[in-house]
Amino acid sequence: MRHTLAALFLVSVLPFTPPQDAPPHEPGPFRTTDLVELATLDPTIKLDIRYATPNNLAGRAVYSQARAFLQRPAAESLVRAHRSLAADGYGLLIFDGYRPWRVTKLFWDTTPPEKREFVADPSKGSKHNRGCAVDLSMYDLKSGREVAMPSVYDEMSPRAYPDYSGGSPDERARRDRLRRAMEADGFTVEPNEWWHFNYRDWQQYAIQDIPFEAIQSPRGPRGPE
């Protein structure tokens, strides 16, 4: 009986550890999630959702739908950045936005430890999981084609760093132009990925694990309230 009571006492005082397959718990408070589909805000934003294809670091499709979402303030800032690039003959090409937590865990589990600087730790969650990070590049408005950058998307090498000094001068100039446009509208670049930008208010949103199919995204800009 004594051992049983001791065991019950330990269970009652030890901190709860969430299951490994569950998102980390955070106390909040957080803003209400308002994930908006980017294609509904400006149809000239191009999509190349790699994770809905086998052409990605997992080697197989991990999304069932080729869609991209962000929290509404981040999405509206992204549209402004996209339109600002038009004067230079560019538009935004989106690879990924909001990412369900379970996909972050999949990437972590399948990435070799020596390459994990390029993927988020699921025990902490990702800014993608909050709907406040976007992976993107640019396309040429005249040709409609993706422009060349110092590295390809999701390349796990120093060429992916925002301050990488290799590549051609034109590639670095385009990379830096993209960064200026995004920073002017409230985003900051990830230290080791030129394509990954985080929205300034990411800490105000909770980690989500909502599949794309369950997102009820409003269509178009919100009207006057």
Side-chain angles (χ1 to χ4, degrees):
M1 181 67 175
R2 182 179 301 170
H3 295 299
T4 302
L5 289 174
L8 288 173
F9 176 75
L10 285 173
V11 168
S12 67
V13 299
L14 288 176
F16 172 71
T17 301
Q20 188 175 4
D21 290 333
H25 174 73
E26 299 177 298
F30 297 107
R31 290 186 183 180
T32 301
T33 290
D34 185 12
L35 291 170
V36 179
E37 190 159 8
L38 299 180
T40 68
L41 296 184
D42 190 326
T44 66
I45 294 176
K46 284 184 173 286
L47 301 183
D48 182 9
I49 308 302
R50 300 287 180 87
Y51 301 140
T53 77
N55 182 22
N56 63 64
L57 58 90
R60 63 181 177 87
V62 295
Y63 293 163
S64 62
Q65 299 177 342
R67 303 167 73 188
F69 305 86
L70 287 176
Q71 299 287 355
R72 181 173 291 276
E76 292 175 347
S77 292
L78 184 83
V79 170
R80 289 193 293 270
H82 168 68
R83 293 173 180 170
S84 75
L85 288 166
D88 294 328
Y90 300 118
L92 290 180
L93 176 67
I94 309 299
F95 299 126
D96 195 27
Y98 161 71
R99 181 183 304 161
W101 177 86
R102 69 193 69 187
V103 177
T104 293
K105 185 175 189 304
L106 170 67
F107 289 162
W108 180 263
D109 290 345
T110 57
T111 299
E114 67 272 15
K115 295 290 187 180
R116 282 181 173 169
E117 67 169 300
F118 295 100
V119 294
D121 183 345
S123 69
K124 299 176 182 178
S126 163
K127 299 174 184 70
H128 281 289
N129 304 152
R130 302 172 190 273
C132 288
V134 60
D135 294 347
L136 77 176
S137 187
M138 299 189 300
Y139 73 93
D140 181 85
L141 291 179
K142 291 182 179 179
S143 68
R145 296 177 181 174
E146 180 182 354
V147 301
M149 295 291 197
S151 82
V152 297
Y153 173 53
D154 263 355
E155 179 175 333
M156 295 182 178
S157 84
R159 288 188 292 271
Y161 297 165
D163 58 355
Y164 174 66
S165 59
S168 73
D170 285 346
E171 289 169 346
R172 294 195 302 274
R174 286 188 289 265
R175 177 197 65 192
D176 296 345
R177 179 66 187 94
L178 173 63
R179 180 174 178 175
R180 289 196 302 274
M182 296 296 289
E183 289 180 340
D185 269 294
F187 291 86
T188 56
V189 71
E190 189 73 5
N192 55 1
E193 296 175 340
W194 62 259
W195 59 79
H196 178 144
F197 290 87
N198 302 308
Y199 188 62
R200 60 189 170 211
D201 291 340
W202 66 267
Q203 293 162 309
Q204 298 181 31
Y205 292 91
I207 293 169
Q208 301 289 336
D209 197 24
I210 309 167
F212 288 179
E213 298 85 348
I215 299 175
Q216 300 296 318
S217 174
R219 294 288 171 180
R222 176 178 290 163
E225 295 182 351

